[in-house]
Amino acid sequence: MKKIVLIFSVIGLLTSCSKDLEISSEASLSANKALSSEDVDKLLNGLYNAVQKPNDYGYFNIMLTEIMADNYKPYKFQWFQVKNIYEKTIPAKDILLGYQYRDYYKGISRANTILRVPTATNAQKGQARYCRALTYLRLFDIYEKVPLVDENYKGDPIAVSPKEAVLNFIVDDLKFAKEHSPEINQLNLEQSQKFPTKEAASALLARVYRVQGKMTEATAEAEALITSGKFSLAENPLERTSEVIFRFAGNKAAENGEWGWIMSWEARNWNCFGASDELTALVKANDTRRILFDFENSADRKGYVFSKKYKTESNSDLLVSRIAEMYLISAEGGNSNRLTELQTIRKSSLSLDDERRLEMSFEWTRWQDLKLKGVEKYVPPYPQNALDANVLLGS
């Protein structure tokens, strides 16, 4: 993917439209008959693939909100569409925007397929609803108001739901996932982190409650995870197995983790992002997170500092939840001791807001933080192909 010069065609974009929401499932197994548990697991694997890599440009699905936020310092825009994202001037006919919207619904459709399988267990449905919730949270971060499509959707045009309804839908899915998904296996933590668990649902619930302004509920979820003893802050942030609550595993052959490459000097002839000066200024000399940034080579790279949080060979894990975020949420909820504990490990003394910016950098949360603070109010337009396909979308 890195070496291909993409020719964007509006004609190709528009001819891809259908009369529905462009969300038909690609599952080859029928959801209308009894399937074995192994078959449902295959459907789940297809769902996980769609969530991590929605399309051949899936890295921009993952990176879009972070590009619009303030943690990146662009080195080069090979595609003007990426520049539009960074400058928050996205036109409705932008082809990347069309991929963003359409292919998120592909993942939602795959989740709904599993939820319609009569023999799917509650545990399998819980994992599917976690993935549906995560996908809707991504859509919410971008558009705020989107159509809510559940397993009973028949393919007709559908209007958007208000922001509050979208968030409540996500919360309902996560509550089900928390109740029915399997618990994380501490004896095989690294493997268990790759799949939705009760703990993953709880962590995402904490994030969504915070977005809703429900800090009591957010703090309760965060504290339950902190006090569970299942996760701990790592002294070396690059060796973060003990911190990770949930991640999708990167795979070099599948090229499903290319954001790490795009955030490295290796991508300097392509679309390439370093860390912003405001972000790197937060990294003091003794901060253990300094290891996450390539300060040592900045003089040879025109002053650019690049992130080392992710691998650079198209196999970056997709970090979704870490225990550090729970410490920050709990601190925001009034438990100042949690901030002290995090800062002791990180050897830092920043404000809570700056700690959150640094700790969560490049983990796809900064844009929502800026919106919560009222710093950003930009909402991209719905893609033109989606408006053409769904006559109620713009109503």
Side-chain angles (χ1 to χ4, degrees):
M1 189 57 58
K2 305 165 192 171
K3 299 178 181 178
I4 295 176
V5 177
L6 182 65
I7 300 175
F8 293 96
S9 168
V10 173
I11 294 175
L13 173 63
L14 295 180
T15 56
S16 70
C17 300
S18 68
K19 293 181 180 180
D20 58 20
L21 278 176
E22 288 283 332
I23 60 174
S24 57
S25 174
E26 295 185 6
S28 60
L29 297 168
S30 173
N32 299 316
K33 65 180 182 180
L35 296 176
S36 69
S37 179
E38 291 77 13
D39 283 338
V40 178
D41 283 341
K42 291 177 183 177
L43 291 178
L44 280 169
N45 286 333
L47 170 59
Y48 301 151
N49 291 336
V51 174
Q52 182 171 8
K53 186 181 180 181
N55 51 55
D56 284 342
Y57 314 102
Y59 34 89
F60 287 126
N61 287 67
I62 304 302
M63 297 174 68
L64 186 141
T65 55
E66 196 80 7
I67 294 172
M68 292 193 298
D70 58 2
N71 281 338
Y72 280 143
K73 181 179 179 180
Y75 182 82
K76 181 180 180 181
F77 297 114
Q78 180 168 328
W79 298 349
F80 66 84
Q81 287 84 359
V82 180
K83 189 171 186 286
N84 289 339
I85 295 171
Y86 179 76
E87 294 178 345
K88 298 182 282 290
T89 57
I90 305 173
K93 291 186 178 181
D94 187 296
I95 193 168
L96 280 183
L97 189 71
Y99 291 147
Q100 300 286 342
Y101 182 91
R102 179 196 67 190
D103 292 328
Y104 276 139
Y105 277 100
K106 179 176 70 177
I108 290 168
S109 178
R110 290 189 181 187
N112 288 338
T113 295
I114 294 167
L115 295 175
R116 289 194 297 269
V117 175
T119 51
T121 66
N122 277 342
Q124 290 168 324
K125 290 180 179 179
Q127 291 176 309
R129 289 184 70 168
Y130 174 91
C131 289
R132 187 170 70 176
L134 177 61
T135 304
Y136 266 119
L137 184 57
R138 290 177 178 169
L139 282 166
F140 173 84
D141 286 345
I142 300 169
Y143 301 103
E144 299 181 348
K145 298 182 290 184
V146 293
L148 290 174
V149 177
D150 64 15
E151 59 272 26
N152 299 311
Y153 175 68
K154 303 301 182 183
D156 298 321
I158 182 173
V160 299
S161 293
K163 293 167 56 177
E164 296 77 10
V166 176
L167 290 173
N168 287 335
F169 186 91
I170 294 169
V171 167
D172 286 344
D173 268 355
L174 291 174
K175 284 181 175 179
F176 184 94
K178 180 183 174 182
E179 180 178 356
H180 296 289
S181 297
E183 292 186 15
I184 202 161
N185 182 358
Q186 287 183 271
L187 298 178
N188 193 0
L189 185 61
E190 192 166 1
Q191 179 66 18
S192 190
Q193 291 165 343
K194 300 176 184 178
F195 303 97
T197 59
K198 293 179 182 292
E199 293 81 3
S202 181
L204 206 58
L205 263 175
R207 185 183 299 174
V208 177
Y209 281 143
R210 177 177 177 269
V211 172
Q212 288 181 309
K214 299 179 178 180
M215 287 308 302
T216 299
E217 292 87 343
T219 302
E221 297 290 344
E223 277 295 307
L225 288 165
I226 294 169
T227 58
S228 71
K230 298 178 180 180
F231 312 97
S232 61
L233 296 169
E235 293 187 5
N236 181 345
L238 276 178
E239 298 174 358
R240 53 178 175 250
T241 298
S242 68
E243 295 188 357
V244 174
I245 300 171
F246 179 60
R247 63 185 173 89
F248 286 106
N251 183 289
K252 186 175 180 179
E255 292 187 331
N256 62 356
E258 293 202 309
W259 45 86
W261 182 78
I262 297 169
M263 288 190 283
S264 75
W265 178 245
E266 296 174 30
R268 60 190 177 277
N269 295 320
W270 204 63
N271 298 289
C272 180
F273 292 97
S276 70
D277 295 339
E278 293 80 6
L279 176 62
T280 57
L282 299 177
V283 187
K284 307 307 179 186
N286 294 326
D287 196 312
T288 61
R289 290 164 296 198
R290 195 172 183 85
I291 198 172
L292 298 174
F293 296 89
D294 188 13
F295 286 100
E296 55 270 26
N297 291 309
S298 63
D300 298 327
R301 296 174 177 178
K302 301 182 181 181
Y304 278 77
V305 176
F306 290 90
S307 171
K308 297 194 293 185
K309 183 172 275 189
Y310 297 103
K311 299 177 182 178
T312 63
E313 296 184 351
S314 304
N315 61 342
S316 300
D317 287 348
L318 175 56
L319 288 175
V320 180
S321 296
R322 290 187 302 115
I323 197 64
E325 182 184 8
M326 301 302 106
Y327 276 81
L328 292 164
I329 289 175
S330 184
E332 188 175 343
N335 296 318
S336 59
N337 59 305
R338 295 305 186 194
L339 179 60
T340 301
E341 291 167 8
L342 183 140
Q343 290 178 326
T344 299
I345 293 290
R346 299 300 192 231
K347 294 182 171 57
S348 177
S349 58
L350 301 172
S351 68
L352 176 57
D353 188 58
D354 284 343
E355 289 289 2
R356 182 174 176 85
R357 181 177 184 179
L358 177 56
E359 184 66 40
M360 299 300 296
S361 60
F362 314 128
E363 293 186 45
W364 338 116
T365 61
R366 179 63 178 170
W367 179 246
Q368 192 57 240
D369 284 351
L370 294 174
K371 300 199 85 168
L372 288 174
K373 294 192 295 182
V375 175
E376 285 289 355
K377 297 181 180 180
Y378 176 71
V379 178
Y382 297 114
Q384 187 60 52
N385 66 330
L387 290 167
D388 293 340
N390 179 12
V391 295
L392 296 180
L393 182 59
S395 61

